[in-house]
Amino acid sequence: MNNIRNFCIIAHIDHGKSTLADRLLEYTGTISKREMKDQILDAMELERERGITIKAKAVRMNYKDKDGKEYILNLVDTPGHVDFTYEVSRALEACEGALLIIDASQGVEAQTLANTMLAKNANLKIIPVINKIDLPTADVDAAYEQMKEGLSVDAEPILASAKEGIGISEIIDSVIANVPAPQGKEEEPLSALIFDSFYDSYRGVITIIRIFDGKIKKGMKIKFMASDAEHEVLEVGYLKPKMIESNELSAGEVGYVVAGIKTIRDIKIGDTITELLRPTQHPHEGYKEINPFVFAGLYPYSSSDYDSLKMALEKLQLSDSSLVYVPETSVALGFGYRCGFLGHLHLDIVKERLLREFDLNLLVTAPNVIYKIKVKDKYVTIDNPAKFPLNADIQEIWEPYVKATVICPNEYIGAVMDLCQKRRGKQTDMKYLDMRIVILKYELPLAEIIVGFYDSLKSISKGYASFDYEHIASQLGDLVKLEILVNSEVVDAFSVITHKDKAQTAAHFLTEKLKDIIPRHMFEIPIQARVNNKIIARETISAMRKDVLAKCYGGDITRKRKLLEKQKEGKKKMRQFGRVELPPEAFVAVLQIDD
């Protein structure tokens, strides 16, 4: 165990984590030059396409130092976006050290700050690395100053360029010298933490584990302590990054376990695996349960795909334990699921994965947050605008707030402040990291940042501003439910909760947008926006009209009038019983209100 080092890579998004992981795998000979490709650990097509890490990846590297001493280095590459902080926190539990990467050209950013705090709270040994020193815009001195002032990290940073392969040997030497070896006893009963899992069509659920005490090997009877499920181990091994079978895994090691698990509910990320006949007395305390903050409805285009959607969500939850879902029904969209996410990017990634990995075409309703509402002296929580109580019954509405940290160059301060104020933000702090970079702290309603905020921030700062947030106590809000009526019927999927001052603008935007999107029918379609049973905006889609007088070449006017009256009656009847077909683009319109 003295020769094992378990460490992860943490950084802000796009600071070079995956590229550094590539160089480490190359330098230790884990991946041959022939097999090497960029972002080797980002196996998902979506990760490679967007250039971001979505899932934490574990990989084992064997390394022999100058003295011929052999080491096992277990590396976990983590995501950098705020929505995937849960992935980072889980990876930290399986490690003793962390490489903290700082971009030499961009310096300390919001998620650098957040991930450093996570690593400190987990008592990890932090090794700072200033990356991308080969760039013409690199400012190593400024990055070093920001690291000392903003992060309170005093260790001397390693200067590196993952792209050019500079500083890689120094990083590995520093990991061996500074990251503590894992503590544990091989003779103790088995205690292994499940920190990740995925589903294999042939072998069932495969769990990724970190062993704290004892050993695990083929044929052993094991027990999952949270679910009380019992299984027999069929295969153990380690990831390199492909799965390599081994005889056993012992204390301090990271690897995978195959136990023919077909029941997905048996697996809980953060659970402890122990030996059935000799259970441990020290189970891992598990991960802090993460509550979803953003909710949206997922509905299949065809009702026949409902079971496929259910199975897809079950399998996806194995590799993404922060995803939460419950069945729900919509009058407009039929049967679907109400899903909880950690943010808007998380929602977008889940939707894309369902489309690509499970070949499902889905309609996604506008995302919203959880509101706590006092109705007749009782508090209820609402995660769906369609279930919002009548305004007359509401005594108080509490909406979730976040403490947002924005780090940007000082020339964009005015634009960033303006954006935050438009989103109902309250400034709580402002300080300079150095002469050029400023940290702004705001309290913002969560509902105001889940759609469009990140894009707007990047746009007004020309891509230089970075953003991170943490959840704080809810606050009282002056909110109303905005309903959309199409042909005098409420379409629940269009309902949104908005601030009283923004209701009029949102109502006009939605009615005008829907007028352009919904195709004309044989009857007139009124589109109305309603707040507290009062119509505050209206647009009308005119009817397609057949020329019923075309066959009348002459004759009495009463004949023409009779035909027109008959058409008028038909239109009236059609409007009463006719069904309006809503195209999928209509549901996207709700997402664009804040833009």
Side-chain angles (χ1 to χ4, degrees):
M1 268 205 305
N2 289 334
N3 293 358
I4 297 174
R5 300 290 182 272
N6 298 318
F7 68 101
C8 59
I9 305 179
I10 54 173
H12 186 81
I13 192 167
D14 202 29
H15 276 207
K17 294 180 301 300
S18 296
T19 311
L20 179 62
D22 289 351
R23 295 294 82 78
L24 292 172
L25 291 170
E26 240 179 12
Y27 185 80
T28 55
T30 308
I31 299 283
S32 67
K33 278 212 160 42
R34 185 175 57 81
E35 296 173 295
M36 195 63 207
K37 57 182 178 180
D38 289 345
Q39 289 175 264
I40 188 86
L41 294 181
D42 293 343
M44 235 184 278
E45 182 191 340
L46 203 53
E47 291 179 309
R48 307 181 71 79
E49 194 179 287
R50 296 197 181 202
I52 61 172
T53 301
I54 294 165
K55 274 204 57 56
K57 309 287 188 319
V59 63
R60 173 171 170 153
M61 302 179 290
N62 291 87
Y63 176 68
K64 190 183 281 189
D65 70 6
K66 294 166 191 167
D67 303 326
K69 198 172 181 184
E70 292 188 3
Y71 289 91
I72 293 170
L73 308 176
N74 290 312
L75 159 69
V76 184
D77 182 22
T78 65
H81 195 278
V82 60
D83 282 11
F84 304 112
T85 302
Y86 187 47
E87 286 281 330
V88 180
S89 66
R90 291 197 344 239
L92 296 177
E93 293 281 338
C95 299
E96 279 83 31
L99 289 176
L100 173 66
I101 314 299
I102 300 162
D103 190 323
S105 61
Q106 295 181 44
V108 169
E109 298 204 56
Q111 202 61 27
T112 322
L113 207 59
N115 284 341
T116 305
M117 293 310 296
L118 283 173
K120 283 183 175 179
N121 292 339
N123 296 318
L124 299 196
K125 175 67 181 175
I126 296 172
I127 300 170
V129 177
I130 295 179
N131 192 25
K132 303 189 186 182
I133 60 168
D134 60 308
L135 292 181
T137 53
D139 189 343
V140 174
D141 293 338
Y144 181 51
E145 199 59 40
Q146 289 171 25
M147 184 192 88
K148 281 178 71 179
E149 291 297 317
L151 304 178
S152 304
V153 174
D154 295 325
E156 279 296 313
I158 298 166
L159 304 184
S161 167
K163 191 176 179 184
E164 299 297 327
I166 300 166
I168 304 303
S169 61
E170 288 87 342
I171 289 171
I172 286 185
D173 291 343
S174 183
V175 166
I176 290 169
N178 296 308
V179 174
Q183 301 295 310
K185 294 176 182 170
E186 289 186 12
E187 63 276 6
E188 287 281 310
L190 173 66
S191 172
L193 165 73
I194 303 173
F195 72 90
D196 205 355
S197 63
F198 60 93
Y199 189 81
D200 184 281
S201 305
Y202 300 103
R203 298 195 281 181
V205 180
I206 296 174
T207 56
I208 312 298
I209 60 168
R210 155 71 200 270
I211 301 181
F212 287 97
D213 288 311
K215 293 180 180 180
I216 189 167
K217 55 188 173 185
K218 187 175 177 179
M220 183 187 272
K221 294 273 199 306
I222 56 169
K223 178 183 175 183
F224 294 82
M225 298 189 85
S227 61
D228 273 339
E230 297 171 10
H231 293 278
E232 184 179 328
V233 177
L234 302 178
E235 184 185 319
V236 296
Y238 43 85
L239 299 145
K240 215 175 172 184
K242 291 174 185 169
M243 292 196 293
I244 309 288
E245 189 176 349
S246 70
N247 295 326
E248 64 176 26
L249 292 173
S250 55
E253 292 190 299
V254 173
Y256 70 89
V257 175
V258 180
I261 304 161
K262 298 293 181 188
T263 312
I264 289 170
R265 290 176 192 83
D266 284 356
I267 296 298
K268 184 176 166 62
I269 303 296
D271 192 5
T272 301
I273 295 179
T274 191
E275 197 174 347
L276 181 62
L277 301 175
R278 202 168 64 115
T280 180
Q281 300 302 310
H282 312 289
H284 194 273
E285 61 188 25
Y287 295 116
K288 180 184 167 191
E289 285 290 329
I290 292 286
N291 295 318
F293 310 115
V294 176
F295 288 83
L298 297 184
Y299 294 89
Y301 271 79
S302 165
S303 56
S304 60
D305 285 339
Y306 178 76
D307 287 335
S308 303
L309 175 59
K310 182 186 175 186
M311 186 60 73
L313 285 169
E314 280 184 354
K315 288 179 182 176
L316 199 59
Q317 197 181 39
L318 275 177
S319 61
D320 184 357
S321 55
S322 53
L323 173 67
V324 175
Y325 60 93
V326 290
E328 78 165 357
T329 313
S330 161
V331 176
L333 302 173
F335 293 101
Y337 283 91
R338 190 92 192 145
C339 299
F341 307 93
L342 297 183
H344 192 255
L345 178 67
H346 187 204
L347 185 161
D348 194 30
I349 294 296
V350 167
K351 184 185 79 174
E352 277 290 316
R353 287 185 70 185
L354 288 169
L355 172 68
R356 294 182 187 205
E357 295 173 30
F358 302 97
D359 201 22
L360 290 169
N361 278 326
L362 300 171
L363 276 171
V364 182
T365 62
N368 60 277
V369 298
I370 292 185
Y371 297 98
K372 194 176 175 186
I373 303 169
K374 191 177 183 183
V375 182
K376 296 175 183 174
D377 296 327
K378 278 199 305 186
Y379 284 100
V380 291
T381 53
I382 302 291
D383 64 12
N384 188 344
K387 295 176 183 172
F388 216 69
L390 295 169
N391 191 60
D393 298 335
I394 296 173
Q395 293 165 287
E396 291 174 358
I397 302 174
W398 293 80
E399 62 174 329
Y401 264 69
V402 296
K403 185 164 78 179
T405 303
V406 179
I407 300 181
C408 68
N410 53 16
E411 60 259 41
Y412 303 113
I413 291 175
V416 170
M417 284 179 162
D418 189 43
L419 173 67
C420 292
Q421 278 159 7
K422 279 182 182 170
R423 302 284 180 134
R424 300 191 280 130
K426 289 185 290 189
Q427 190 179 331
T428 57
D429 192 17
M430 175 178 168
K431 72 174 183 182
Y432 280 83
L433 263 181
D434 57 24
M435 295 295 288
R436 203 170 49 86
I437 303 294
V438 66
I439 300 178
L440 292 165
K441 289 191 185 284
Y442 272 87
E443 285 185 2
L444 284 155
L446 178 60
E448 295 284 351
I449 65 166
I450 58 172
V451 178
F453 181 83
Y454 193 71
D455 293 341
S456 300
L457 181 68
K458 285 291 181 189
S459 178
I460 61 172
S461 66
K462 296 181 181 168
Y464 286 109
S466 61
F467 172 65
D468 181 56
Y469 62 85
E470 59 179 288
H471 295 266
I472 56 173
S474 299
Q475 297 183 20
L476 279 169
D478 194 1
L479 306 170
V480 291
K481 177 184 177 182
L482 174 65
E483 295 177 299
I484 299 295
L485 293 84
V486 178
N487 198 23
S488 304
E489 283 187 17
V490 175
V491 181
D492 53 358
F494 290 147
S495 297
V496 289
I497 309 302
T498 184
H499 193 265
K500 198 175 181 181
D501 297 342
K502 292 187 172 187
Q504 192 77 46
T505 312
H508 282 294
F509 171 83
L510 267 180
T511 50
E512 286 168 18
K513 193 86 175 171
L514 291 173
K515 183 190 174 185
D516 294 338
I517 294 171
I518 296 172
R520 290 170 71 191
H521 288 55
M522 293 302 291
F523 52 93
E524 187 183 82
I525 305 170
I527 300 170
Q528 299 160 298
R530 184 172 76 184
V531 171
N532 299 336
N533 286 329
K534 181 182 172 186
I535 303 297
I536 60 170
R538 174 182 168 132
E539 293 289 335
T540 305
I541 301 172
S542 56
M544 291 167 69
R545 190 163 174 236
K546 183 182 174 185
D547 188 1
V548 291
L549 303 181
K551 58 189 176 186
C552 298
Y553 294 106
D556 190 12
I557 186 69
T558 55
R559 187 174 170 221
K560 292 182 180 179
R561 195 171 287 145
K562 189 178 176 183
L563 284 168
L564 289 169
E565 284 298 321
K566 192 177 177 184
Q567 186 186 37
K568 191 178 174 183
E569 282 298 313
K571 296 273 183 198
K572 198 173 174 182
K573 201 170 184 180
M574 228 188 262
R575 187 179 155 188
Q576 189 179 351
F577 298 107
R579 182 176 167 81
V580 179
E581 291 295 324
L582 297 171
E585 308 88 74
F587 300 96
V588 179
V590 188
L591 302 176
Q592 299 167 339
I593 292 176
D594 286 325
D595 296 349

